[in-house]
Amino acid sequence: MRIIKKICLFMGLLFCLTIGLYFFAIKAFSPQPPLNYCAFCDPKVLDGQTFYEDDLVIALCTHRPVFPGHSLIIPKRHVERFEELSDEEISRIGKVIKKVNDATVNIFHTSAYLLLQKNGHEVGQTVPHVHFHYIPRKAEDSSVIKFLANMFLANAKPPLSAAESRKTANTMKQAIETLPP
């Protein structure tokens, strides 16, 4: 029995090392955007992924969803950290998160969600613009292991095509437009 535990531990360690090297290689050899680049200020990104917009907030489909319905809610104004948001922006972001949830429940039949907001490069914020990840789950998606694996592997997946992003954005836009004000 001890040998089986040692083999499992070794295999787990080898798996983690392999995954770590894979992500290191992706990051090390991928072309890096210019230093002052912000994807959420780039009209090319916003045009194909936005499904909600008002005077302060934008909601868009992410290009590498963890689960169907994974969305981003961002302030229109370029702000890098949460504490730089105005009270009005914070309030409006909260209202838009509710709209995104209502639309996602209607489209994807979800029952729960995770809100994730990273504040600073040190905690893994990769786009220097405040953004909230809205990651929905269905009642039957109770596996924590599957959730963590999808979170971990989301960046290794190829991004959605422009057509896939537009289709999801249009579906979400239609669902939000049918919600009561």
Side-chain angles (χ1 to χ4, degrees), residues 1-2 9 16 23 31 36 54 64 89 91 94-95 100 103 105 112 118 120 125-126 135 142 150 158 168 176 179 181:
M1 194 66 158
R2 286 182 70 184
L9 181 63
C16 289
F23 284 113
N36 294 329
D54 64 29
R64 285 193 168 98
E89 287 169 320
S91 174
K95 289 176 183 176
V100 169
V105 166
K118 302 174 190 173
Q125 182 180 5
T126 55
I135 305 170
S142 60
N150 279 12
T168 302
I176 285 179
L179 294 174

Side-chain angles (χ1 to χ4, degrees), residues 5-51:
K5 284 184 180 180
K6 286 183 180 182
I7 290 172
C8 288
L9 181 63
F10 175 75
M11 294 300 287
L13 204 56
L14 187 62
F15 175 76
C16 289
L17 180 63
T18 303
I19 294 295
L21 287 172
Y22 174 75
F23 284 113
F24 171 76
I26 286 175
K27 195 142 192 112
F29 299 110
S30 295
Q32 298 300 312
L35 283 177
N36 294 329
Y37 176 76
C38 175
F40 301 148
C41 293
D42 185 342
K44 291 178 191 172
V45 172
L46 297 176
D47 288 345
Q49 295 172 241
T50 298
F51 60 83

Side-chain angles (χ1 to χ4, degrees), residues 25-96:
I26 286 175
K27 195 142 192 112
F29 299 110
S30 295
Q32 298 300 312
L35 283 177
N36 294 329
Y37 176 76
C38 175
F40 301 148
C41 293
D42 185 342
K44 291 178 191 172
V45 172
L46 297 176
D47 288 345
Q49 295 172 241
T50 298
F51 60 83
Y52 175 86
E53 182 173 357
D54 64 29
D55 60 324
L56 296 177
V57 179
I58 298 172
L60 58 145
C61 304
T62 184
H63 69 298
R64 285 193 168 98
V66 174
F67 290 101
H70 180 176
S71 302
L72 301 170
I73 297 88
I74 65 171
K76 264 188 164 175
R77 183 171 65 99
H78 180 85
V79 177
E80 291 189 21
R81 297 181 60 90
F82 180 82
E83 59 271 15
E84 297 170 4
L85 292 170
S86 70
D87 290 345
E88 179 62 22
E89 287 169 320
I90 292 169
S91 174
R92 191 76 62 81
I93 286 169
K95 289 176 183 176
V96 173

Side-chain angles (χ1 to χ4, degrees), residues 3-4 14 21 32 34 36 40 43 47 59 78 83 92 99 103 113 119 128-129 136 141 143 163 167 171-172 181:
I3 190 78
I4 292 174
L14 187 62
L21 287 172
Q32 298 300 312
N36 294 329
F40 301 148
D47 288 345
H78 180 85
E83 59 271 15
R92 191 76 62 81
K99 287 179 187 269
Y113 62 91
N119 237 0
H129 190 128
D141 292 339
S143 170
K167 181 181 177 189
T171 303
M172 287 293 288

